[in-house]
Amino acid sequence: MKKSSVSILLFSCLLVFSALGCRENETASIEIEFVLPADSAATLPDGRVFLLLSTSDDGEPRFQILDGASSQQVWGMDIENRPPGERIRFKPEGNGYPVATLEELPAGEYYVQGLFHRYETFHLAGGQTVKLPMDRGEGQHWNSAPGNLFSQPVKITVDPFASGKIEIHLDQVIPPIPAPEDTKYIKHIRIQSKLLTAFWGRPMFLGAHILLPEGFDSHPEAKYPLAIYHGHYPSDFAGFSTSPPDPDLKPEYSERFGIEGYNIVQQQMAYDFYKEWTGPGFPRVIAIEIQHSTPYYDDSYAVNSASQGPYGDAITYELIPYIESQFRGIGEGWARFVYGGSTGGWEALAVQVLYPDEYNTCYAACPDPIDFRAYCQVNIYADSNAYINQGPFQGVERPGARDSLGKVRATVRQMNYRELALGTKSRSGEQWDIWEAVYSPQGEDGYPVRIWDKVTGKINPEVAAYWRENYDLTYIMKRDWAELGPKLKGKIHIYCGDMDNYYLNNAVYLAEEFLEETTAPYYDGEVDYGDRAEHCWNGDHTRTNGYSRLCYHQMFIPKWTDWVQKNAPQGADLKSWRY
């Protein structure tokens, strides 16, 4: 028999094993069935089922699927139009991660777990029908989405010389997430978007967490500028607390930042921000964090998209005016500015470029690729394959993630294979898939067209050309600079570590080259780099990433309010909110 043949033995009340018998040198056969609760059979017809295996008992397998060598194992299978009450016979589609097939799984002991990720049906305005996971308050995470079914982990033994059958009972349900409550300073709003509802064919909503300035109630005559922080799905307004750190909090070490007691640091800095925000010298503005998760990701990238709909217009022309009308915003483009890091950094620059009259300065930190000649380590216009740098005699795998010393954590291929295991049709909810969902044209089936074959890495040049014309921010600025240049003068600020974990500095170099060499007019902004700084560096040369990433509001709100005093249009209200 093949050395990699596999069967699973033994267990607990969640797994039922029936020996089929086998002899040495026979190929083993394994049957896996997922059993859903009887009352869920009619309400969960579509989705993706996961088989998860882990060698570690440090948490559940569903939380151990990562980029890098430490990742545990996942296989997935799409489920559509399943008859009510029918068991799910699991047949992996191949492309598991990190091990591709069940037959390749080494013998040994594992913790096994199953999970069912629910999809919903959308009848799009263009006539297509797609099935996607609706965000349920968790920020588009398959392993923590409320309503998803899962099993408790059970320890099993894999024996390459045995066959068997297992039943995995998905009898646990991830509970709902309670909505945050309003406080004196923080308010929460949610509106139905007419634009998005029309696109998706069902009610779709946008939300925001709003931090009100000190003196908001005692200065009813004041109208305020809007500080718009872009980033990943916020459960509440992050980094602001009216309470000092919990004295009983047990210190936790942050491996990412190398800081002991980082949880205490976060609480202390949130409290420090509250004191600064309410102090006499801090600018009085309204700060907001937007909730705009989509059926593809934890946020929309704040632009219009063929497959996701008009999120850029919905945020700019529906959500923001609503907030300004409800909370006495000035309501003019000169009185709005944007800032953020990573995804939020790309969004900040994108909306400033694509809506130049609606926003008045961006601070873009460690932005996702702003020039697709450096789409991380891939040039989508010149390269034929995303995964391999191919020479005449050999190919070299492209790195996808590194540490500050350049040690490669994962390749582009590995990162994409993880996503393919988590979801087909750009539905993984992860990074490469959301770029595709935002930037790609919509296919005839309603899903995004792949920029490259997810298995082979072969790049589609027609899709690359579409990306360039619509979302390559450097290309767009260069193409349209005669019109954009006068509107963007002094408004572009970009920051990136020169050892960014995802090689995002490479695209910033290309953007800087264009900006610095263009003099008609000169952009008159700022591009800055952090020496040996990793992802999330935001222009602060005085603190490391672990601290500066907690200070976006403190850094950029005063910087903008100082700048706008000299650069606001004639007649602008620069007084009512300065108290």
Side-chain angles (χ1 to χ4, degrees), residues 254-304:
S254 170
E255 184 175 353
R256 176 182 177 185
F257 299 115
I259 299 174
E260 184 64 51
Y262 191 59
N263 54 334
I264 299 174
V265 169
Q266 290 175 300
Q267 289 194 2
Q268 182 62 57
M269 294 189 73
Y271 182 59
D272 290 345
F273 177 40
Y274 154 69
K275 292 189 291 183
E276 192 170 358
W277 179 261
T278 58
F282 201 86
R284 306 309 184 198
V285 304
I286 298 170
I288 69 169
E289 296 186 0
I290 300 173
Q291 282 189 320
H292 48 122
S293 59
T294 83
Y296 285 99
Y297 198 53
D298 67 8
D299 79 21
S300 68
Y301 274 67
V303 294
N304 296 344

Side-chain angles (χ1 to χ4, degrees), residues 48-248:
R48 188 165 177 85
V49 66
F50 297 111
L51 176 66
L52 303 141
L53 295 177
S54 174
T55 59
S56 171
D57 63 354
D58 185 18
E60 299 178 45
R62 61 184 166 127
F63 298 120
Q64 299 176 25
I65 310 303
L66 313 166
D67 286 326
S70 63
S71 180
Q72 300 295 340
Q73 180 64 40
V74 60
W75 288 280
M77 183 178 75
D78 289 336
I79 304 297
E80 291 192 8
N81 304 315
R82 178 180 53 82
E86 181 182 278
R87 294 185 175 200
I88 300 172
R89 177 166 291 186
F90 186 72
K91 294 181 180 179
E93 300 159 338
N95 303 117
Y97 172 84
V99 176
T101 67
L102 275 168
E103 288 73 25
E104 296 174 276
L105 187 69
E109 292 187 337
Y110 299 90
Y111 294 91
V112 66
Q113 187 174 35
L115 185 143
F116 190 97
H117 188 28
R118 291 195 296 131
Y119 291 172
E120 298 183 25
T121 300
F122 298 83
H123 300 288
L124 304 182
Q128 308 97 329
T129 297
V130 295
K131 297 182 179 183
L132 293 161
M134 191 71 174
D135 181 75
R136 296 159 234 156
E138 87 289 352
Q140 278 294 11
H141 298 293
W142 61 272
N143 54 11
S144 59
N148 280 356
L149 301 175
F150 67 101
S151 69
Q152 294 288 1
V154 187
K155 193 172 186 180
I156 65 170
T157 299
V158 169
D159 181 351
F161 298 104
S163 297
K165 176 180 179 180
I166 59 174
E167 293 179 354
I168 300 180
H169 289 255
L170 303 176
D171 55 3
Q172 307 292 307
V173 183
I174 299 175
I177 297 172
E181 297 181 359
D182 285 354
T183 68
K184 174 183 176 181
Y185 293 102
I186 298 176
K187 309 299 179 182
H188 309 88
I189 62 100
R190 186 170 183 259
I191 66 168
Q192 182 173 335
S193 164
K194 293 181 180 179
L195 293 171
L196 297 175
T197 295
F199 177 88
W200 287 101
R202 60 181 291 175
M204 296 292 285
F205 298 86
L206 293 169
H209 308 309
I210 299 155
L211 180 61
L212 297 178
E214 177 70 10
F216 180 82
D217 292 329
S218 58
H219 291 76
E221 78 291 348
K223 291 189 175 182
Y224 301 94
L226 199 62
I228 304 162
Y229 178 77
H230 279 291
H232 294 287
Y233 186 90
S235 58
D236 204 338
F237 197 98
F240 182 91
S241 175
T242 58
S243 302
D246 180 356
D248 299 323

Side-chain angles (χ1 to χ4, degrees), residues 389-410:
N389 182 15
Q390 184 64 51
F393 297 105
Q394 68 174 349
V396 177
E397 290 284 328
R398 296 187 196 277
R402 63 179 175 182
D403 66 14
S404 63
L405 297 177
K407 183 179 179 181
V408 176
R409 190 174 81 235

Side-chain angles (χ1 to χ4, degrees), residues 23-24 28 87 120 158 180 185 249 338 376 478 487 497 534:
R23 295 186 299 274
E24 190 173 354
R87 294 185 175 200
E120 298 183 25
V158 169
Y185 293 102
L249 189 64
V338 289
C376 297
K478 185 175 183 179
K487 297 181 178 183
E534 296 182 75

